[in-house]
Amino acid sequence: ASPMYMFKVNNSNNNNADRIRATAIIRTSQGGAHARSPAHLQIYRGGSYNDWITLFSTSTNIPGDSDIALDSGPVLTSLTDYYQAESGPNLACSSSSANCWAYFRLYQEPPTDNFNEILYVDYFNVTFGIFADTNIQVQIRGGTKIQGGSKIQ
């Protein structure tokens, strides 16, 4: 099984036209000879695409118990595809709605050997705005209990 976190974040700027940028700091329990599985930061894209889009991937040699920074860079095109109504993915929110959400997941591919791995998310941040690094920020820090997300091992 792949360790995974999922997040649902509201754009409190109340529109579906803001650029989106996600950052995270992760760690994995497996390192050294067993660190063969890349980790991925993805965003859900609705519209006619209806699939997860990889924003950032790590290399295949992730060091164990070390912080790894993931930065998506700003999502710049087809922005309305990345905003969904609260009632579920692929339900569009309007350009002036307080109901515009973006869905993210962080996961690590299954190991290639018979070792278990645990993916830790120490920090997750989403920025909405014209320049994708100003305006509204949602921050989730530390621990395994994450509001709007779930941990699967």
Side-chain angles (χ1 to χ4, degrees):
S2 296
M4 181 181 299
Y5 288 86
M6 296 185 77
F7 304 96
K8 175 181 159 183
V9 182
N10 179 251
N11 179 0
S12 58
N13 288 335
N14 300 328
N15 71 69
N16 62 0
D18 281 344
R19 293 178 180 175
I20 305 166
R21 183 177 197 156
T23 56
I25 298 174
I26 64 169
R27 289 180 294 122
T28 181
S29 62
Q30 293 296 325
H34 307 295
R36 297 184 193 97
S37 302
H40 305 280
L41 170 59
Q42 296 184 319
I43 187 170
Y44 183 79
R45 182 175 180 183
S48 62
Y49 204 83
N50 293 326
D51 203 357
W52 291 96
I53 303 296
T54 299
L55 300 172
F56 187 92
S57 294
T58 64
S59 69
T60 56
N61 191 14
I62 300 173
D65 290 325
S66 296
D67 287 342
I68 302 159
L70 309 177
D71 185 343
S72 70
V75 176
L76 301 172
T77 60
S78 303
L79 293 170
T80 57
D81 284 356
Y82 296 96
Y83 288 102
Q84 312 299 319
E86 183 176 15
S87 52
N90 207 31
L91 297 174
C93 64
S94 70
S95 59
S96 61
S97 172
N99 194 23
C100 292
W101 296 79
Y103 294 81
F104 300 87
R105 71 180 180 185
L106 281 161
Y107 75 96
Q108 187 172 12
E109 292 179 17
T112 56
D113 48 26
N114 291 327
F115 288 91
N116 290 324
E117 57 192 359
I118 300 172
L119 178 66
Y120 302 94
V121 177
D122 294 329
Y123 174 85
F124 182 75
N125 181 57
V126 177
T127 305
F128 300 98
I130 295 170
F131 298 104
D133 58 359
T134 60
N135 296 335
I136 303 302
Q137 293 190 356
V138 176
Q139 295 184 356
I140 301 169
R141 293 184 178 265
T144 57
K145 178 70 174 172
I146 296 181
Q147 180 182 359
S150 58
K151 179 179 178 183
I152 303 171
Q153 293 182 8

